[in-house]
Amino acid sequence: MSRTTRRRLGVTATALLMATVALPAPAHAEDVTDYAITVDPASQGAKIDDTMYGVFFEDINRAADGGLYAELVQNRSFEYSTADNSSYTPLTSWTVAGSAEVVNDAGRLNERNRNYLSLGAGSSVTNAGYNTGIRVEQGKKYDFSVWARAQSGTTLSVTLKDAPGTLATTRQVAAKGGWTKYTATFTATRTSNRGRLTVASSGAASLDEVSLFPRDTYKHQPNGLRKDLAEKIEALDPGFVRFPGGCLVNTGSMEDYSEASGWQRKRSYQWKDTIGPVEQRATNSNFWGYNQSYGLGYYEYFRFSEDIGAMPLPVVPALVTGCGQNRATDDEALLQRHIQDTLDLIEFANGPVTSKWGKKRAEMGHPKPFRLTHLGVGNEENLPNEFFARFQKFRAAIEAKYPDITIISNSGPDDAGATFDTAWQLNREGKVDMVDEHYYNSPQWFLQNNERYDSYDRGGPKVFLGEYASQGNAFKNALSEAAYMTGLERNADIVKLASYAPLLANEDYVQWRPDLIWFNNHASWNSANYEVQKLFMTNVGDRVVPSTATGTPNVSGPITGAIGLSTWATSAAYDDVKVTGEDGSTLFGDDFSGDASKWTPGGAGSWSIRDGQYVQTDAAAENTLVTAGDPAWKNYDLHVKATKKSGKEGFLVAFGVKDTGNYYWWNLGGWNNTQSAIEQAVDGGKSTLMSKAGSIETGRAYDIDIKVRGRQVTLYLDGQEWDSFADDKPAEPFRQVVTKDAKTGDLIVKVVNAQSAEARTAIDLGTSKVASKARVTTLAAGPDEVNTETDTPVTPAASTFQGVAKKFTYTFPANSITFLRIKQR
């Protein structure tokens, strides 16, 4: 193995023979190692709570309907609407033979279930399910139910088929009179992923809530959860489950679902909509572009959390919308109603059966309380002052009635910037218990920011890292997250809770990548990121044992790269592009008086030279990057004149461009023309290095100047310094943390080696009296490996290492995460 700089750490040949691979060495020879880890067992590090790591369930990527919720019929209540998705109709996923229409009138099943199907005599409807169809397995039972209204003598024939033929014996249901629930059970005679459920009626009938449920649900709960997905979540051994969002919490109308509000379809997730009999639950337009039935609601959430031994952590609306909507509701009566709803939620979870909402919980089948201890108010609000004013009202009401509840605030949607800073200042000044941070960044960012929480105020609010991920499901993403998690554990006195997000993704209905668990209608598989989360969750330990490690030599030089121009959902014109060297020499110039031959397209869009300017005219195209110049350029000045023509945003001026996946750009007027930022792309994943509020005017010409010196960059807008930054944090690939398991007494040495070379490491356990054998779990793979339904190259391997001593040497494989569990005598 070669390395630019090696360290001689005085490890003897005896220790060398204890290594994973014993190599011949001369007597008294000094071992050559790359790193050293020194453990201080006499000192006491941070206590790690049992709830340190958890999961965040949000109905995104069809995580609920068509996912964890086991219902096999899509649009079972005929409630799909253009309010959910412009392509939807009330008969989406249904086909009709004969005559049928969806009706919304006073003859409905109930007020909150607005639509029903009127089916003509001799007609039928067939449901296509999710993905390729309804999945059934040979020999397993499936429970059918439907609410129907029909004249006496009407027979409903219910069949389950796929293209080759019948999948189960047809069931006949005699329907008569007013709305009544009818049931039947199928036993599948074959396995199929392409089933279709058909309901045919001999006479005119009205149908609603057409349902098909596998009998074999998780814990065999009726109205239950898909078993394989629930078991994968349980296998993580999460300490908590955050629910239900995300953008579902703080988008849309804050009104209820009632005649008084005009039956609001695009509204925030409100818990009272989601309990009681499923046929009486409201429906809603999901922020992510589909419908959510609320079959998986708050009761099912609390039950699932209890079943997997996890703390429930619900999040309620704060009446300030986010996720691009950014509005504050100023209706005091509505605010007070939501505050009361939050108090009622706590009573539903914890109240005695003699209380109003505790009785409701008991009626649903759970007399015992759910032991709710933590509750989040709001999610990623971009209006920190407006949010915090409302948060304080929620907090005052909750503390007055339930003083033992930990109330969680948040810091907006980013890891830094003006919103983040203002939110944190308000949270500190307000002496908030805990602050929810969210960020999605590149693997590079996670490798660079392991020390993020080292400098947080130990006397200030605690941190709930409620959403994070490194923008990919390859093993290199999981490696960077693992490296970052060693820093979370080291700071377990500050970071009390952490959850990767999102949790689930149906491969045919994806709105967000990456995701922890992937699935379709017949299979599910663990991402590389899942394997990392599981490794940490099941080996967390109870206390940090202080340790230090040597680092990798910093070989990063100056920022180098070409230049680029781009737009995002905007038409813009660029002119007078000039690059000069540090000595004033001209490296590049283009006044667009000729052709565009100096520029290389790398993205979408429509570029052309018009009236002596380089113009991108497609106002809908995203990332229209064109590049020019030499990737070896360093220490240069870039000048650009830019004018916005039309569209949602402003300008993207790139520098340090190595290729279309590796560059920096100044994003002026991004995020719907609300802020400007410096973003860095590494292997396609972007991180925000700094940001400020600000917008770009249409039709105005701006002078943009970027000065690059070494790793320092200074930015000028219309001749005035906008800001500067230094990208000088090392992306350290070698990270470690040591914890102790109080129950077993094990020392758990956790090491991440996120580089393509193995890391031969001298480990000094200090005064610890340890057994000579360690249980080892290793996760190692190529950095670009991705787990799929049919191939899982990122899979943990268990082994035993016999060479443990107070001082020993261990070689950590390239691109690996290794957990050594060492018994102490």
Side-chain angles (χ1 to χ4, degrees):
M1 185 192 97
S2 63
R3 186 177 301 278
T4 305
T5 302
R6 292 181 178 269
R7 298 170 183 78
R8 297 184 175 272
L9 299 165
V11 183
T12 65
T14 305
L16 175 61
L17 292 173
M18 297 176 181
T20 308
V21 181
L23 299 174
H28 311 298
E30 191 175 48
D31 186 19
V32 177
T33 55
D34 305 303
Y35 297 94
I37 297 173
T38 304
V39 183
D40 183 8
S43 298
Q44 187 165 275
K47 179 182 180 295
I48 306 174
D49 295 342
D50 291 341
T51 51
M52 172 76 181
Y53 295 122
V55 295
F56 165 39
F57 179 90
E58 178 179 10
D59 188 359
I60 184 173
N61 309 315
R62 286 283 186 190
D65 298 332
L68 184 61
Y69 186 49
E71 174 65 76
L72 296 171
V73 175
Q74 184 175 178
N75 189 18
R76 67 183 177 188
S77 191
F78 310 100
E79 298 290 341
Y80 277 27
S81 162
T82 53
D84 310 323
N85 188 295
S86 61
S87 68
Y88 281 2
T89 75
L91 282 170
T92 292
S93 81
W94 293 94
T95 54
V96 176
S99 63
E101 66 172 329
V102 175
V103 182
N104 179 348
D105 65 14
R108 63 179 65 86
L109 178 60
N110 61 65
E111 278 291 283
R112 292 164 72 79
N113 194 310
R114 306 294 292 167
N115 290 349
Y116 64 94
L117 184 74
S118 176
L119 190 63
S123 300
S124 67
V125 287
T126 299
N127 192 266
Y130 297 93
N131 301 93
T132 56
I134 291 172
R135 160 75 172 184
V136 295
E137 293 183 56
Q138 184 176 356
K140 291 196 173 182
K141 294 184 182 299
Y142 296 84
D143 293 322
F144 167 83
S145 65
V146 63
W147 283 81
R149 180 180 61 195
Q151 296 295 322
S152 181
T154 298
T155 298
L156 301 178
S157 297
V158 188
T159 58
L160 196 55
K161 296 180 178 180
D162 62 5
T166 301
L167 292 169
T169 302
T170 299
R171 299 301 181 196
Q172 307 287 340
V173 176
K176 61 180 179 179
W179 285 110
T180 305
K181 185 177 182 179
Y182 300 96
T183 62
T185 299
F186 292 102
T187 301
T189 55
R190 287 190 294 111
T191 294
S192 176
N193 303 327
R194 300 177 180 274
R196 299 290 187 268
L197 178 76
T198 298
V199 181
S201 181
S202 64
S206 298
L207 307 179
D208 208 345
E209 286 289 315
V210 183
S211 173
L212 186 68
F213 247 85
R215 179 76 57 85
D216 188 19
T217 57
Y218 179 72
K219 303 289 186 184
H220 301 288
Q221 297 284 355
N223 192 49
L225 306 180
R226 179 171 151 174
K227 190 174 181 180
D228 63 324
L229 294 178
E231 287 178 345
K232 284 186 183 299
I233 299 169
E234 181 183 37
L236 290 167
D237 193 23
F240 65 87
V241 182
R242 178 173 172 248
F243 177 94
C247 290
L248 304 190
V249 168
N250 70 333
T251 55
S253 167
M254 297 293 163
E255 301 284 351
D256 62 2
Y257 191 60
S258 67
E259 185 176 11
S261 68
W263 305 107
Q264 294 275 356
R265 282 295 292 261
K266 292 188 174 184
R267 64 190 188 284
S268 65
Y269 197 110
Q270 298 173 48
W271 78 272
K272 289 178 181 177
D273 289 341
T274 76
I275 63 168
V278 292
E279 69 274 6
Q280 295 177 18
R281 297 183 189 182
T283 190
N284 201 1
S285 171
N286 183 296
F287 174 83
W288 299 108
Y290 53 90
N291 177 275
Q292 53 190 151
S293 72
Y294 287 145
L296 194 171
Y298 256 90
Y299 178 75
E300 291 75 25
Y301 156 60
F302 281 135
R303 282 294 298 259
F304 181 53
S305 299
E306 181 181 69
D307 284 342
I308 65 176
M311 174 182 82
L313 202 166
V315 183
V316 299
L319 273 72
V320 179
T321 57
C323 301
Q325 297 182 358
N326 302 337
R327 294 188 304 271
T329 301
D330 291 320
D331 184 332
E332 185 63 26
L334 187 57
L335 176 65
Q336 291 303 320
R337 194 268 287 173
H338 275 269
I339 290 172
Q340 185 59 52
D341 281 356
T342 301
L343 298 175
D344 293 345
L345 173 61
I346 298 170
E347 183 176 287
F348 178 73
N350 293 351
V353 295
T354 53
S355 67
K356 175 182 176 180
W357 293 102
K359 180 182 179 183
K360 184 72 173 177
R361 181 193 68 239
E363 288 171 351
M364 293 187 72
H366 201 282
K368 292 183 179 179
F370 285 117
R371 294 181 295 182
L372 174 66
T373 60
H374 290 63
L375 183 140
V377 176
N379 171 77
E380 291 189 10
E381 282 72 22
N382 257 318
L383 304 173
N385 291 294
E386 292 85 343
F387 160 73
F388 199 73
R390 289 154 183 77
F391 171 85
Q392 287 179 302
K393 294 183 178 182
F394 276 85
R395 181 171 65 167
I398 296 167
E399 286 181 342
K401 191 168 185 180
Y402 300 105
D404 294 334
I405 296 288
T406 297
I407 307 162
I408 303 170
S409 179
N410 74 82
S411 59
D414 301 303
D415 61 87
T419 297
F420 179 88
D421 292 340
T422 301
W424 257 105
Q425 181 181 352
L426 292 167
N427 287 317
R428 280 192 296 267
E429 292 172 350
K431 301 188 185 307
V432 165
D433 291 335
M434 189 176 288
V435 177
D436 187 3
E437 292 190 355
H438 295 179
Y439 39 83
Y440 297 90
N441 287 317
S442 68
Q444 172 103 347
W445 186 94
F446 283 95
L447 294 177
Q448 288 177 319
N449 285 276
N450 181 275
E451 292 88 4
R452 175 180 176 90
Y453 297 106
D454 291 1
S455 59
Y456 271 50
D457 179 6
R458 263 49 201 170
K462 305 303 182 187
V463 171
F464 169 27
L465 181 49
E467 296 185 32
Y468 73 99
S470 74
Q471 300 174 337
N473 278 142
F475 188 51
K476 62 187 175 188
N477 300 96
L479 278 167
S480 72
E481 291 155 6
Y484 193 71
M485 292 170 80
T486 66
L488 301 183
E489 289 192 6
R490 188 176 63 252
N491 289 286
D493 59 325
I494 291 292
V495 184
K496 306 303 287 185
L497 306 165
S499 51
Y500 180 102
L503 177 62
L504 292 167
N506 185 320
E507 67 173 350
D508 291 335
Y509 308 93
V510 181
Q511 293 87 43
W512 187 279
R513 298 173 187 269
D515 302 285
L516 205 63
I517 300 168
W518 288 82
F519 65 93
N520 50 38
N521 65 349
H522 62 274
S524 56
W525 55 98
N526 305 334
S527 67
N529 319 68
Y530 174 99
E531 297 297 352
V532 164
Q533 292 293 321
K534 183 178 179 182
L535 197 54
F536 275 84
M537 286 192 206
T538 56
N539 292 279
V540 64
D542 300 282
R543 188 173 288 279
V544 175
V545 181
S547 60
T548 58
T550 53
T552 307
N554 183 6
V555 296
S556 62
I559 292 173
T560 60
I563 61 168
L565 307 171
S566 187
T567 59
W568 200 286
T570 301
S571 172
Y574 294 98
D575 201 358
D576 297 336
V577 179
K578 189 174 183 179
V579 181
T580 55
E582 190 175 16
D583 59 1
S585 60
T586 298
L587 302 177
F588 178 89
D590 199 340
D591 63 2
F592 303 107
S593 58
D595 59 24
S597 59
K598 296 178 181 179
W599 298 87
T600 303
S606 179
W607 289 90
S608 61
I609 292 179
R610 297 187 178 186
D611 300 323
Q613 295 181 313
Y614 202 21
V615 185
Q616 199 291 112
T617 54
D618 187 344
E622 298 180 346
N623 193 2
T624 63
L625 185 65
V626 292
T627 60
D630 187 345
W633 279 345
K634 62 182 178 180
N635 298 326
Y636 59 81
D637 296 332
L638 166 62
H639 172 80
V640 179
K641 188 178 287 291
T643 306
K644 175 179 175 177
K645 297 291 189 181
S646 65
K648 296 179 179 179
E649 305 204 343
F651 316 118
L652 296 163
V653 180
F655 57 98
V657 179
K658 291 182 171 56
D659 53 50
T660 54
N662 294 274
Y663 54 84
Y664 301 82
W665 66 23
W666 189 1
N667 186 345
L668 287 144
W671 295 270
N672 289 316
N673 208 13
T674 60
Q675 61 179 305
S676 298
I678 297 298
E679 296 180 279
Q680 181 184 17
V682 179
D683 294 334
K686 286 203 294 288
S687 301
T688 301
L689 303 184
M690 60 186 302
S691 66
K692 286 183 177 185
S695 60
I696 293 297
E697 298 174 26
T698 301
R700 175 184 163 189
Y702 291 84
D703 283 306
I704 297 166
D705 291 276
I706 301 171
K707 179 180 179 179
V708 181
R709 294 294 184 272
R711 301 200 70 78
Q712 179 78 29
V713 179
T714 309
L715 306 122
Y716 301 87
L717 187 61
D718 287 335
Q720 300 296 313
E721 183 173 331
W722 181 82
D723 216 327
S724 64
F725 71 95
D727 181 23
D728 54 5
K729 286 184 181 179
E732 175 57 62
F734 187 84
R735 296 291 187 182
Q736 59 81 39
V737 69
V738 181
T739 63
K740 182 177 179 180
D741 187 322
K743 184 176 180 181
T744 64
D746 290 355
L747 280 179
I748 313 172
V749 180
K750 313 173 191 185
V751 177
V752 180
N753 182 32
Q755 58 190 326
S756 58
E758 63 183 17
R760 192 161 177 75
T761 306
I763 301 175
D764 184 346
L765 298 178
T767 58
S768 298
K769 295 181 178 178
V770 293
S772 61
K773 185 169 66 173
R775 286 188 292 127
V776 184
T777 306
T778 305
L779 203 57
D784 295 318
E785 295 285 6
V786 176
N787 286 353
T788 67
E789 178 185 349
T790 57
D791 185 28
T792 53
V794 185
T795 303
S799 61
T800 302
F801 176 64
Q802 301 283 355
V804 179
K806 288 184 178 180
K807 294 183 178 182
F808 67 101
T809 302
Y810 192 93
T811 298
F812 296 97
N815 298 306
S816 70
I817 302 154
T818 306
F819 280 34
L820 300 166
R821 290 194 74 115
I822 303 169
K823 290 215 170 290
Q824 296 188 93
R825 292 174 179 170

